[in-house]
Amino acid sequence: MIRLAIQKSGRLSEKSKRLLLECGIKINSGNKILKSKAENFPIEVYYLRDDDIPQYVAEKAADIGIVGKNLVAEKQMKVKIEKYLGFGKCKISLAVKRELDYSSIQWFQNKRVATSYPNILSSYFAKNNINADIEVISGSVEIAPGIGLADGICDIVSTGSTLLTNGLKEVETIMKSEATLIANEDLDEKQKNILTDLCFRIDAVIKAEQYKYILLNAPNDVIEQICEILPGMRSPTVLPLAEKNWSSVHTVIREDKFWEVIGQLKKIGAQGILVTDIEKLIL
Ligand code: PRT
Ligand code: ZN
């Protein structure tokens, strides 16, 4: 049995639960449930505050956890990052009042900066030889400059709209973050095997999200060109159509290349292009 800590409620909780579900792991969750054993996988899920997850995993109160890289960096606990999970993406950034004339990190020399991330911020300032006062506050950091508590802030930025609403602008990005799967450094052999199995399933889910399945029809004389544009996993499947001199091409395509490739395919004569989601992809 492996014990997995995930956020009880917050920005990472739904996506963490969905990831488990997509990995074929059935768990109970609900407002009052604090832990739950899966029916069909040797895993027990603990629902916790995200701030506590690195410590739980480091001290082996849980074996693995899903938490933002920002918290792994801030809490400075001995845990291993096993995998980046591709959701909960954000940045830890420095921001100042919008009207300020900011030219470089030197601006922060001898200033007061409010943050909930004192460790990340102090090592960033140390690296850049900045001497500043760090005011640690646990929430609503963005209002600190407006009420005279600080000259600038260091906080999570995602779309940037919270900064905008509070009359601030982002001036430095300290780190990029996303949800990570972390693990205790001393798992036993059985737990390591369960973790390997879990990682295998997570990879299949993440890969599937990055790719689309594509089917199209094209005249035989352009099939070679199409195969060059669509290399597929090994190579595309080409099947003859009932109509003479026409074939159907089936393959997978990276989602980020999608629009670029579709344009090229149309131009050389592909028709009836059908694109669908992939549920799992094992390379
Ligand atoms: O209750 P608990 O302690 O478990 O949760 P929490 O309130 O401390 O954390 P939560 O749920 O807000 O965030 C959990 C994790 O999600 C963070 O540690 C990050 O790894 C990740 N994440 C991703 C974010 C954001 N995006 C985000 N936008 N965490 C917080 N925010 C907040 C940010 O603090 C700021 O107030 O959203 C605001 C900025 O958003 P934009 O879109 O306006 O820029
Ligand atoms: Zn938290």
Side-chain angles (χ1 to χ4, degrees), residues 70 89-93 117 142 153-158 162-163:
N70 52 311
K89 287 193 176 168
C90 57
K91 297 178 279 182
I92 301 269
S93 296
Y117 293 91
E142 293 93 348
I153 65 159
C154 162
D155 199 14
I156 293 180
V157 179
S158 171
T162 309
L163 291 185

Coordinates of all heavy atoms in Angstrom, one line a residue, residues 70 89-93 117 142 153-158 162-163:
N70 N 6.1 25.3 -6.3 CA 6.3 26.5 -5.5 C 6.4 26.1 -4.0 O 7.3 26.6 -3.3 CB 5.3 27.5 -5.7 CG 3.8 27.0 -5.6 OD1 3.5 26.0 -6.2 ND2 3.0 27.7 -4.8
K89 N -0.4 25.4 -13.4 CA 0.8 26.2 -13.8 C 0.7 27.7 -13.4 O -0.4 28.3 -13.5 CB 0.9 26.2 -15.4 CG 1.4 24.8 -15.8 CD 1.8 24.9 -17.3 CE 2.4 23.5 -17.6 NZ 2.7 23.3 -19.0
C90 N 1.7 28.2 -12.8 CA 1.8 29.6 -12.4 C 3.2 30.0 -12.2 O 4.1 29.2 -12.5 CB 1.0 29.7 -11.1 SG 1.7 28.7 -9.7
K91 N 3.4 31.3 -11.8 CA 4.8 31.8 -11.6 C 4.9 32.4 -10.2 O 3.8 32.8 -9.7 CB 5.1 32.9 -12.6 CG 5.1 32.5 -14.0 CD 5.4 33.6 -15.0 CE 4.1 34.5 -15.2 NZ 4.3 35.6 -16.1
I92 N 6.0 32.4 -9.6 CA 6.3 33.2 -8.4 C 7.0 34.4 -8.9 O 8.1 34.3 -9.5 CB 7.1 32.5 -7.4 CG1 6.5 31.2 -7.0 CG2 7.4 33.4 -6.2 CD1 5.6 31.2 -5.8
S93 N 6.4 35.6 -8.7 CA 7.0 36.8 -9.3 C 7.0 37.9 -8.4 O 6.3 37.9 -7.3 CB 6.1 37.2 -10.5 OG 6.1 36.2 -11.5
Y117 N 6.1 33.6 0.6 CA 7.2 32.7 0.1 C 8.5 33.3 0.6 O 9.4 33.6 -0.3 CB 7.1 32.5 -1.4 CG 5.9 31.8 -1.8 CD1 4.7 32.5 -2.1 CD2 5.9 30.4 -1.8 CE1 3.6 31.8 -2.4 CE2 4.7 29.7 -2.1 CZ 3.6 30.4 -2.4 OH 2.4 29.7 -2.8
E142 N -1.4 40.9 -2.3 CA -1.5 41.9 -3.3 C -1.9 43.3 -2.8 O -1.7 44.3 -3.4 CB -2.4 41.5 -4.5 CG -2.0 40.4 -5.3 CD -2.5 39.0 -4.8 OE1 -3.0 39.0 -3.7 OE2 -2.3 38.0 -5.5
I153 N 5.7 43.2 -3.8 CA 5.3 41.9 -3.3 C 5.9 40.8 -4.1 O 6.4 41.0 -5.2 CB 3.7 41.7 -3.5 CG1 3.3 41.7 -4.9 CG2 3.0 42.7 -2.7 CD1 1.9 41.0 -5.2
C154 N 5.9 39.6 -3.5 CA 6.4 38.4 -4.2 C 5.3 37.4 -4.0 O 5.0 37.1 -2.9 CB 7.7 38.0 -3.6 SG 8.1 36.2 -4.0
D155 N 4.6 37.1 -5.1 CA 3.4 36.2 -5.0 C 3.2 35.3 -6.2 O 3.9 35.5 -7.3 CB 2.2 37.0 -4.7 CG 1.1 36.2 -4.1 OD1 1.3 35.0 -3.6 OD2 -0.1 36.6 -4.0
I156 N 2.2 34.5 -6.2 CA 1.9 33.7 -7.3 C 1.1 34.5 -8.3 O 0.2 35.3 -8.0 CB 1.0 32.5 -6.9 CG1 1.8 31.5 -6.0 CG2 0.4 31.8 -8.1 CD1 1.0 30.3 -5.5
V157 N 1.5 34.4 -9.6 CA 0.8 35.0 -10.7 C 0.4 34.0 -11.7 O 1.2 33.1 -12.1 CB 1.7 36.1 -11.4 CG1 1.0 36.7 -12.6 CG2 2.2 37.1 -10.4
S158 N -0.8 34.1 -12.1 CA -1.3 33.1 -13.1 C -1.7 33.9 -14.4 O -0.9 34.1 -15.3 CB -2.4 32.3 -12.6 OG -3.0 31.5 -13.5
T162 N -5.2 39.5 -11.0 CA -5.2 40.0 -9.6 C -4.2 41.2 -9.5 O -4.5 42.2 -8.8 CB -4.8 38.9 -8.6 OG1 -5.6 37.8 -8.9 CG2 -5.0 39.3 -7.2
L163 N -3.1 41.1 -10.1 CA -2.1 42.2 -10.0 C -2.7 43.5 -10.6 O -2.7 44.6 -10.0 CB -0.8 41.9 -10.8 CG 0.1 40.8 -10.3 CD1 1.4 40.7 -11.1 CD2 0.5 41.1 -8.8

